[in-house]
Amino acid sequence: MNPFLEQLKKEIIAGVHPDWNRNQKLRYVYMMAGKKLTKDATFFYSLSAKLGNASLSYEELKRKYVENGVDENEVICKSTSLFLKSIYEELGIEVKLMKSAVYQRVYSEDKSECFDVYHYFLCCTGEEDKKYFLTLSSDLMNIQNNWQTEHFASTIGYQLREVHGKTNVAYQGEPIQESTMSLEELLALDDSIGLVPMEKGTQLKPGGALSYYENAISLNSVSLVDSPFIYQRAKGLLASRKGYAQYLNQNSEFYKKAFVFQREDGSIISLNDTPLSELSEKDIDDWNLQMLENMPEANEKVAKEAIQKIEIIAQKLKRMRKRAIEVKTMEEGEEKRHQILRLKKDQAACHNLLHMVSYLFVPSQYKDPQKGNEISTDYLQYRFENLFVDFMMFNKEEPSMLSRCNGLAEKIELLDRVLMDLFGGDVFSKTNEDAKLSRSVALNRETGEYHLFFQLNNTLYYHLDLDTGKLKILPDVVGYISNQSFEFISDSFHAQILDIEESISKK
C-alpha cells in the first residue's frame, strides 16, 4: 500500500466512532474513501490500447492490476475493494472479496504472456448478519459531487442473460442472498454519522453552507425538504419545458431591465432593494413607461398582449403598495399575517405575468421545439452555451462543478450525466459521433493532459478545459487540433469493464 493510501487508511479509521454499529462503520468508511480516491482512467484507456503509443505498457498494466500497484489515489475496482477490505477487517467487520465471472484477457506485445481482468466488489456483513454488496469504484462520482450513492447495499442479480444458450452468472462462487438498503435507510444512516449537517427544510443560501446533497447552483427555491436529490430538483427547475422557459425569460434583456427603472428626476430605483411601501404611485407609472419603452419590436398582436399585461402588473403594484403601507401600521396578529400572505401571493402573480411578457420576446429559435419538429442548431447552441454552461458553472470566476471531482474519470461521468439530463438520449450520445450532440476525449501526448471536445450538429465545435472549467467555441477546429499532438479516444475504451459494472451493480 502506497504512502497516500496508508495515511488515508489511518485518517479514516481514526474518524470511526467506537460506539457505531457495523452498518455505520461500513457507510462511513465507504463515504470517506470515496471522497479521496479517483478511478485510474489511463489504466482503462490502455486496456484496449486507445491511447496509441501513450498507452500503459503490458508491464505497467500488470503492475497495477496483478500486483495491485496504486499510484497516489488512482485506483481500479480491484485496488479499491482491497483497500476497503483492509480497513473493514481492521474494524472487525466480516468482508469477502467478490470477483466477476466474466473477464477481459490482456496480452503482452509478443503474445507470450497474458492475465485476465475481472471486476471486483465486496460482500460485507452488517447488522443482523445481513450481507451487503459494495462497489465503491462505481460510486466515486456520486460521492464527490455530494449525491446519493447508487452502489452501496445494492442488489446484484446472480444470473445474467443467456448467451448462445448458456446462462452466465454475475460473480464467481455460490449465489449470495444480499440485503439492500432503501433510500430512507441510507438517509437515516448518513444522518446518524453526521453526513447531513443541516436540518431538513434549511434554505440553501448562495455562498453559504451547503447541505450534503446539493447541486453547484444555488437556488433559493431549493431546500433539504427536496432531498435526497437536490440535483434532481435543480434539474427539474432548469431543464424541464417549464423550467427552461423560465430560464429563457430570466435571461432575456427585457426581464433583466424590469427590476431597475429611472424616476422622472433621474434617480435610479431598484425594485429588488426598495420596499414597495416606499414607492409612490408616480414611481410605478415611471416603471410602467420604461417597460413600454424597453419593449422589443414585435407584431401588433404580441405588442398589444404585452402592453395589456404590463398595465395589469402596474395596477397590481399600486394595490400592493397601498396594502404594504397599511400592513406597516397594523398590530401583530392574524389579520396582519393574512395581509402579508396576500402580498406574497400578489407578488408571485406579478412575477408570473412578467414571465409571460418576457416569453413573448424570446426569439422563437431558442424555445423548445414542438413535438415532431426538427431540433435546430440555433436551439442546441443556445441551450448548450447558456443552460449547460450555467448549470455546470463553466466560464465563471468561481470553481465549476468539475472541481468537485478528483480525477478525469469522475469528471467525464459527471458531464455525461448532466448532458443526458439536460438534452436527453435523442440529442446527446457519448458513443455515437453522428449524434446531434456528442463529446470526445483526447490526450495531448506532449503534455500528458486530457481534453474534452464537443460537436453540435456536426457544425459547431467546442473545447473544454477540464481543470479550469473554461469552455470555448472553436471556429477552426481542424487547425486547433492539427496544431497540437492529440490522441483521440473512443468511448468503447473499457466497454467490457463498464458493461460489467453497469449491469451487475444497479439497484
Side-chain angles (χ1 to χ4, degrees), residues 25-190:
K25 292 175 182 177
L26 284 173
R27 183 65 168 178
Y28 180 81
V29 172
Y30 189 87
M31 302 304 288
M32 293 303 104
K35 289 179 180 293
K36 299 294 185 180
L37 302 177
T38 181
K39 194 179 291 186
D40 190 343
T42 303
F43 174 87
F44 291 108
Y45 283 137
S46 299
L47 280 181
S48 301
K50 297 302 181 183
L51 296 179
N53 294 332
S55 294
L56 296 176
S57 66
Y58 175 82
E59 288 71 24
E60 270 297 293
L61 289 173
K62 183 178 179 181
R63 180 184 71 84
K64 286 176 176 284
Y65 182 81
V66 178
E67 301 169 14
N68 194 37
V70 178
D71 299 325
E72 275 298 299
N73 65 337
E74 295 184 341
V75 293
I76 57 178
C77 57
K78 180 182 178 182
S79 52
T80 307
S81 299
L82 289 172
F83 177 65
L84 289 187
K85 183 174 183 289
S86 70
I87 298 176
Y88 289 143
E89 288 178 336
E90 192 160 329
L91 293 173
I93 294 175
E94 182 183 333
V95 57
K96 181 180 180 181
L97 187 66
M98 306 296 293
K99 189 176 179 181
S100 66
V102 294
Y103 60 89
Q104 175 185 353
R105 181 155 291 172
V106 181
Y107 290 92
S108 60
E109 291 184 10
D110 61 3
K111 307 296 182 182
S112 63
E113 187 181 345
C114 69
F115 64 90
D116 297 329
V117 176
Y118 294 85
H119 175 59
Y120 284 83
F121 57 99
L122 296 179
C123 177
C124 301
T125 302
E127 290 299 295
E128 301 175 2
D129 289 332
K130 291 183 178 180
K131 305 298 182 183
Y132 294 111
F133 287 146
L134 277 58
T135 313
L136 178 58
S137 60
S138 300
D139 255 335
L140 295 177
M141 188 278 288
N142 289 322
I143 294 172
Q144 291 161 28
N145 282 279
N146 299 322
W147 295 346
Q148 184 53 274
T149 58
E150 299 175 83
H151 304 277
F152 180 94
S154 59
T155 184
I156 297 179
Y158 182 67
Q159 288 193 334
L160 301 178
R161 64 186 183 275
E162 286 191 6
V163 179
H164 303 304
K166 180 183 178 182
T167 300
N168 293 294
V169 297
Y171 50 86
Q172 298 181 22
E174 295 299 313
I176 295 174
Q177 294 300 313
E178 78 273 22
S179 296
T180 61
M181 290 190 189
S182 67
L183 189 55
E184 291 73 20
E185 288 175 309
L186 290 174
L187 286 169
L189 190 55
D190 284 343

Side-chain angles (χ1 to χ4, degrees), residues 245-467:
Q246 290 190 349
Y247 177 86
L248 290 171
N249 300 336
Q250 293 173 349
N251 284 276
S252 68
E253 288 301 314
F254 179 80
Y255 184 89
K256 291 176 182 178
K257 292 177 180 179
F259 296 91
V260 178
F261 68 95
Q262 185 172 337
R263 281 173 167 159
E264 195 173 48
D265 62 6
S267 59
I268 303 299
I269 295 295
S270 168
L271 293 179
N272 290 323
D273 301 328
T274 307
L276 201 54
S277 59
E278 295 180 10
L279 297 179
S280 66
E281 287 203 2
K282 180 62 170 60
D283 290 334
I284 296 174
D285 288 335
D286 289 342
W287 173 85
N288 192 352
L289 178 62
Q290 181 171 299
M291 290 293 288
L292 296 176
E293 292 174 347
N294 288 338
M295 275 178 45
E297 290 187 14
N299 61 51
E300 184 177 349
K301 181 181 178 181
V302 170
K304 183 178 180 181
E305 182 180 352
I307 292 171
Q308 288 176 341
K309 283 184 168 57
I310 292 170
E311 178 61 31
I312 292 173
I313 296 173
Q315 293 306 313
K316 276 184 173 291
L317 289 175
K318 288 181 179 181
R319 290 194 296 270
M320 290 168 61
R321 170 187 168 274
K322 289 181 180 179
R323 190 176 300 118
I325 293 173
E326 292 172 359
V327 166
K328 291 179 69 174
T329 63
M330 294 175 66
E331 294 183 2
E332 296 297 329
E334 186 63 31
E335 179 60 24
K336 185 173 183 177
R337 288 192 291 270
H338 174 69
Q339 293 301 328
I340 290 175
L341 183 60
R342 283 188 62 187
L343 280 170
K344 289 182 178 179
K345 289 182 177 179
D346 286 343
Q347 183 184 36
C350 286
H351 271 105
N352 287 336
L353 280 170
L354 184 57
H355 277 294
M356 292 180 189
V357 178
S358 301
Y359 198 68
L360 294 172
F361 303 116
V362 172
S364 60
Q365 65 266 32
Y366 299 155
K367 298 178 180 179
D368 270 324
Q370 295 299 312
K371 190 174 182 179
N373 289 358
E374 181 68 22
I375 298 176
S376 69
T377 300
D378 286 337
Y379 166 77
L380 287 175
Q381 182 177 8
Y382 182 90
R383 196 174 176 100
F384 184 80
E385 293 183 2
N386 294 276
L387 179 63
F388 172 61
V389 167
D390 285 347
F391 197 90
M392 289 295 302
M393 306 276 288
F394 288 153
N395 299 337
K396 314 287 184 186
E397 289 187 7
E398 58 267 39
S400 74
M401 280 181 72
L402 293 181
S403 64
R404 300 170 174 226
C405 300
N406 291 342
L408 173 69
E410 294 78 43
K411 292 179 181 181
I412 299 299
E413 187 179 349
L414 169 61
L415 284 165
D416 287 345
R417 174 86 63 89
V418 174
L419 286 168
M420 185 62 72
D421 288 341
L422 295 188
F423 292 92
D426 293 336
V427 173
F428 169 70
S429 173
K430 60 183 181 180
T431 56
N432 181 7
E433 295 180 358
D434 294 326
K436 293 181 181 297
L437 168 58
S438 64
R439 58 90 174 148
S440 299
V441 182
L443 170 70
N444 187 314
R445 291 188 295 270
E446 294 180 352
T447 65
E449 296 177 340
Y450 286 94
H451 297 254
L452 204 63
F453 294 87
F454 302 91
Q455 70 82 19
L456 297 182
N457 268 355
N458 294 313
T459 302
L460 301 173
Y461 297 87
Y462 301 82
H463 170 262
L464 174 64
D465 189 312
L466 290 165
D467 292 322

